[in-house]
Amino acid sequence: MPPRWSRIPDRKDADFRQLDDRMSFATHVALFAASNSGMWFFRILQKADWSWSIWVTSGWLAVLIAHAIYVFVIADYSEPVPAPTRATGFKPKEKPPKSTKR
């Protein structure tokens, strides 16, 4: 089941930004694991001499480590980010004000 957010999603919200960054990192890890395990599986299965596979894995791992350092160490979630200039996603309909007529 996908994670649910109890409030209106807003990039100005520090908790939402942190969750969004961690979910992006988790997707990055999953893509790395699936791609590299497949590549190494077929390399071993075919007994291929794919010298480039070492470079692909090590380069991608370096990028993954840099992404982890940014998400877990460098990123500052205390300051609000400026609002985007265009609509970027879901915005629920606002409820009309209740009438005071009786």
Side-chain angles (χ1 to χ4, degrees), residues 5 7 9-11 13-21:
W5 194 250
R7 303 182 294 267
D10 187 10
R11 285 295 293 174
D13 184 4
D15 292 334
F16 179 75
R17 284 195 327 268
Q18 184 176 18
L19 178 66
D20 187 42
D21 286 350

Side-chain angles (χ1 to χ4, degrees), residues 71-91:
V71 169
F72 296 109
V73 178
I74 297 173
D76 181 20
Y77 299 106
S78 60
E79 294 290 324
V81 295
T85 57
R86 61 182 179 86
T88 58
F90 171 77
K91 183 175 179 186

Side-chain angles (χ1 to χ4, degrees), residues 1-2 7 9 14 16 31 36 39-40 43 70 74 84 87-88:
M1 180 188 300
R7 303 182 294 267
F16 179 75
L31 187 61
N36 280 289
M39 178 178 60
W40 285 90
R43 178 184 180 193
Y70 172 76
I74 297 173
T88 58

Side-chain angles (χ1 to χ4, degrees), residues 34-44 50 52-53 56-57:
S35 300
N36 280 289
S37 65
M39 178 178 60
W40 285 90
F41 173 78
F42 285 110
R43 178 184 180 193
I44 292 169
W50 296 346
W52 54 265
S53 61
V56 169
T57 300

